Amino acid sequence: PRFRTPPEVLAVQLKELAVMHGQAVPLNALHESTTERPEIPDVAKNAVREIYRRFAELEAAEAPESGHRPLHAARHTLRGAPCVLVGREFVAAEQVAVTTDVDCSPLLHALPEDLLADETMFRALGVRAEFDGADYVLALSRLAVAAGGAELEEDQVSLAGKLAKEAAQFELTQEAKRGMFLPNSSKKMVRAEDLVYDDAPWLSSSMNNVQFLSAEVSNEVGAAP
């Protein structure tokens, strides 16, 4: 039989390709459009697609009823690492969903149309069918970490509002609720439990030592967690 490269080796190669081409970067410049990133060379994109093809081949070779998960080792190797090529950047599989109704990039992404044919393979690597509440809460936490206590840009505040609205559609665990960050009226990300909804703006200006929820986040969304 033809020799096949072990999936965990392919996973390491994929991680190295992402790092080599400068796409494994922290989200500390969220206002930058992905279109401003340098184009990934065709030779690198072709190498990535070849790895995807081999992953898909390995996944398809196993009958679902066998119970064997051929990409389990690869998924473990790639957990949290940029590995899905979305436009001009690599993002972690956990930050990608097959179906998403709301654009929450650059924190969460839809699986590109040109990769949908290998949906089963990408799901085996950790791509979501749809994002759930925990994914939106984690994205808010990543936004807070990226901001580092600084004021958010207007589009980032808007993004936080969208993430919060989506998270509010789910019944969150207590752990998720405690870990949720939301923007305050000063455009800074703080723990949701430390925020108060500003339902009397004519009085709030005279209140000290109170952190109000950003107007980008509705009362219902802010109360949901």
Side-chain angles (χ1 to χ4, degrees), residues 49 85 111-118:
R49 291 183 184 123
L85 184 56
L111 187 66
E113 287 188 10
D114 63 323
L115 300 181
L116 285 174
D118 290 322

Side-chain angles (χ1 to χ4, degrees), residues 119-203:
E119 172 186 341
T120 302
M121 177 273 287
F122 282 106
R123 294 276 288 117
L125 290 178
V127 166
R128 309 324 198 197
E130 297 178 317
F131 292 121
D132 63 17
D135 293 317
Y136 292 111
V137 171
L138 182 58
L140 285 163
S141 296
R142 292 173 59 224
L143 177 56
V145 170
E151 287 187 15
L152 301 178
E153 301 287 343
E154 288 294 342
D155 58 341
Q156 295 169 10
V157 176
S158 178
L159 173 59
K162 287 195 290 185
L163 292 167
K165 183 176 181 179
E166 294 305 306
Q169 310 303 312
F170 297 86
E171 186 173 338
L172 301 174
T173 65
Q174 288 301 315
E175 182 179 3
K177 292 176 184 178
R178 286 193 297 270
M180 178 175 272
F181 284 81
L182 293 173
N184 64 14
S185 57
S186 299
K187 304 179 184 178
K188 294 183 178 181
M189 296 293 284
V190 300
R191 289 194 177 276
E193 61 187 5
D194 296 331
L195 290 168
V196 175
Y197 181 68
D198 189 0
D199 55 358
W202 58 90
L203 294 175

Side-chain angles (χ1 to χ4, degrees), residues 62-113:
E62 288 291 334
E65 60 272 15
S66 71
H68 178 59
R69 295 181 294 168
L71 297 184
H72 177 71
R75 177 171 179 162
H76 179 76
T77 300
L78 293 170
R79 184 172 296 137
C83 62
V84 180
L85 184 56
V86 178
R88 298 187 178 190
E89 64 179 329
F90 289 96
V91 298
E94 298 83 0
Q95 295 161 22
V96 181
V98 175
T99 302
T100 178
D101 296 327
V102 180
D103 179 13
C104 292
S105 60
L107 291 167
L108 297 174
H109 304 264
L111 187 66
E113 287 188 10

